[in-house]
Amino acid sequence: MAGRVGSTSALLLVVVGLACQEVGASIAVLLFPEVGPLGMVMLRLVFSAVILLVIARPALRGHTRSGWTAVVQFGLVLATMNGLFYLALERLPLGVTVTIEVLGPLVLSIVASRRRSAWLWAVLALLGVIALGGGGWDRLDPLGVLFALGAAASWAFYILASARVGREFPKLDGLALAMTVGALIALPFGVMDAGAALLRLDLLALGAAVAILSSTIPYALELVALRRLPAAAFAILMSLAPATAAIAGYVILGQELSWLELVGIALVITASIGAVRASTLAARQAAEPVA
């Protein structure tokens, strides 16, 4: 009974984390007219870095050259992924943007599974992407789609870079340092995009709120949930991000989606869940000793 309660609470933590993340993204969209997408990226990364540095207090000495290389690469990926994501959000609905972005880890899961059946999920995801265009991609801003696809590729690199930094640095040290690198990379672009708006305390406060909602709270909740949930179950729950994004986009931003776009989101979610299960099964079989 206690285990079941623990799993249930962990499920709720992941769902709340997803909700916070998409609410944060919605607030970011509302701030675009004031600070621009790149200004928003800078605010999110800067405040996230400050929070993580205060929490982790990472040591700057005692790290190898390969460790620092991993941190810099991770920081570059963080800046690129967030930049492309917000540039896509400027042109596409939140639900569509997140659905396209999910294709990055989805493709990574399919490749990692090394099972022929996994390509069924690739086909299903492709059908979902086609449906996202509402029967015609001309309905979507082509540059926004390119930005979202770039964010998807960056997310796949994020997973690989995060794993490498996790091996090189203890606890949150690597993430805090990488976030700082990402913030420094985003700083000049953000200043050029936001300009004098950065002198307004209300906008800075909202930027801090986006950082907390989109990064700090989700990461903390996911960290707790991972202690109570199998990694595969956690990954499946994270596949629901397009659905929570579509809901947040509709409720907060008033972004309505056609029934065909909703079908596309459902197909991508199904493909993501299937790919995660296939990848998990492949890993389990590879770990089993040969009789």
Side-chain angles (χ1 to χ4, degrees):
M1 178 66 72
R4 185 177 302 174
V5 172
S7 297
T8 302
S9 62
L11 294 175
L12 290 175
L13 289 176
V14 175
V15 172
V16 170
L18 284 173
C20 287
Q21 203 164 24
E22 305 313 335
V23 169
S26 299
I27 296 174
V29 172
L30 294 174
L31 292 177
F32 282 173
E34 302 290 343
V35 299
L38 297 182
M40 193 63 251
V41 171
M42 182 205 68
L43 289 174
R44 174 179 172 177
L45 292 181
V46 166
F47 282 114
S48 295
V50 170
I51 293 169
L52 283 170
L53 287 173
V54 170
I55 294 174
R57 297 181 181 179
L60 298 179
R61 296 182 179 180
H63 305 300
T64 64
R65 182 176 179 180
S66 64
W68 282 113
T69 301
V71 160
V72 172
Q73 290 175 344
F74 192 20
L76 179 60
V77 169
L78 282 169
T80 303
M81 181 178 69
N82 282 280
L84 291 172
F85 178 70
Y86 280 136
L87 286 170
L89 274 185
E90 187 182 27
R91 297 169 177 269
L92 299 175
L94 178 57
V96 172
T97 303
V98 173
T99 302
I100 296 175
E101 189 189 30
V102 164
L103 295 177
L106 170 59
V107 170
L108 196 61
S109 295
I110 291 170
V111 173
S113 71
R114 297 181 181 179
R115 296 170 62 88
R116 291 181 180 179
S117 60
W119 293 102
L120 168 66
W121 307 119
V123 173
L124 195 63
L126 177 62
L127 292 175
V129 170
I130 293 172
L132 275 182
W137 276 90
D138 55 321
R139 293 183 65 252
L140 298 178
D141 185 290
L143 188 56
V145 172
L146 285 176
F147 284 143
L149 288 173
S154 298
W155 196 354
F157 284 115
Y158 166 87
I159 294 171
L160 299 174
S162 176
R164 183 181 174 189
V165 167
R167 291 192 296 268
E168 295 279 355
F169 291 83
K171 301 178 182 179
L172 297 176
D173 289 21
L175 178 62
L177 293 171
M179 193 70 75
T180 303
V181 172
L184 292 174
I185 293 172
L187 191 60
F189 301 100
V191 170
M192 286 189 293
D193 203 19
L198 295 175
L199 300 176
R200 289 176 51 182
L201 292 179
D202 58 331
L203 295 179
L204 293 177
L206 287 171
V210 170
I212 292 170
L213 284 169
S214 297
S215 301
T216 309
I217 293 177
Y219 186 81
L221 294 180
E222 290 164 10
L223 199 63
V224 175
L226 276 170
R227 294 171 182 167
R228 307 178 188 177
L229 281 177
F234 175 79
I236 288 173
L237 285 171
M238 294 302 290
S239 300
L240 299 178
T244 58
I247 294 171
Y250 176 75
V251 173
I252 300 174
L253 302 174
Q255 296 175 339
E256 295 186 2
L257 299 175
S258 68
W259 69 268
L260 201 52
E261 288 170 328
L262 293 173
V263 169
I265 290 174
L267 288 174
V268 171
I269 290 173
T270 303
S272 297
I273 294 173
V276 168
R277 292 177 65 87
S279 179
T280 303
L281 181 60
R284 188 180 303 159
Q285 290 178 344
E288 290 177 353
V290 179

